[in-house]
């Protein structure tokens, strides 16, 4: 029984990932104030066991913006225009969401959630137990009130300043 427990726990940690919450960073307090001539865009990843150990590298128009570990967020002031957010992940064997495009106007606030949905199943195979995992990731636009609830308790990750 101990061997089964160790195997199951090890498999769960391997497939689900260890926590990568950046606890040395400031925690979310409030949505920042908009800046004149720019849009304020948040990218956030709420705390989630599924994919918790995967680091998501956020790219804006094919340039790396930042890396979002589990339970983190970033924001950027962007000049009005069209943008595409895409990602890569570490470890690279992990799934990544499809890129999405969006348009921002001056004075606007937008919030993009990295939605990670997954399942984990334990299947007995003869004398051993095997785990299977299924994960899907999607970027989706959310309302400010939903973003505030989901970013609560998460940590800020600095993104470089974007030129206006």
């Amino acid at each position: 029984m101990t061997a089964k427990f160790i195997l199951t726990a090890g498999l769960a940690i391997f497939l689900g990932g260890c926590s990568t919450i950046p606890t040395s960073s400031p925690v979310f307090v409030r949505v920042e104030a908009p800046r004149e001539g720019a849009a304020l865009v948040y990218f956030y990843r709420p705390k989630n066991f599924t994919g918790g150990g995967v680091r998501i590298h956020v790219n804006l128009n094919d340039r790396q913006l930042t890396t979002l570990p589990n339970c983190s967020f970033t924001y950027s002031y962007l000049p009005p225009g069209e943008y595409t957010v895409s990602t890569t992940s570490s470890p690279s064997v992990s799934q990544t969401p499809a890129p999405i495009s969006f348009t921002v106007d001056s004075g606007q606030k937008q919030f993009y959630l990295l939605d990670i949905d997954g399942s984990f199943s334990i299947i007995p195979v003869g004398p051993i137990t095997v785990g299977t995992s299924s994960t899907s990731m999607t970027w989706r636009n959310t309302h400010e009130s939903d973003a505030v609830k989901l970013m609560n308790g998460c940590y800020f990750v600095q993104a470089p300043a974007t030129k206006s």
Side-chain angles (χ1 to χ4, degrees), residues 34 50-51 54 67 75 78 80 105 111 115 121 129 143 149 161:
T50 302
V54 177
T67 297
Y75 61 87
L78 302 175
D105 294 318
F111 302 85
D115 195 7
S121 303
T129 303
H143 293 285
K149 288 177 195 170

Side-chain angles (χ1 to χ4, degrees), residues 100-115:
I100 63 166
S101 295
F102 60 94
T103 302
V104 296
D105 294 318
S106 180
Q108 189 177 38
K109 290 187 276 185
Q110 291 189 22
F111 302 85
Y112 290 91
L113 161 71
L114 178 60
D115 195 7

Side-chain angles (χ1 to χ4, degrees), residues 46-111:
K47 187 174 183 179
N48 192 339
F49 175 78
T50 302
V54 177
R55 291 182 174 271
I56 299 295
H57 309 288
V58 180
N59 305 305
L60 195 59
N61 290 352
D62 295 323
R63 294 183 65 187
Q64 185 167 350
L65 179 65
T66 194
T67 297
L68 291 179
N70 195 15
C71 196
S72 65
F73 68 95
T74 195
Y75 61 87
S76 190
Y77 292 98
L78 302 175
E82 293 183 27
Y83 295 89
T84 299
V85 63
S86 62
T87 61
T88 56
S89 61
S90 300
S92 60
V93 296
S94 303
Q95 293 180 335
T96 56
I100 63 166
S101 295
F102 60 94
T103 302
V104 296
D105 294 318
S106 180
Q108 189 177 38
K109 290 187 276 185
Q110 291 189 22
F111 302 85

Side-chain angles (χ1 to χ4, degrees), residues 15-21 45 48-55 69-70 116:
L15 293 173
C18 298
S19 176
T20 57
I21 299 170
R45 180 180 173 190
N48 192 339
F49 175 78
T50 302
V54 177
R55 291 182 174 271
N70 195 15
I116 302 175

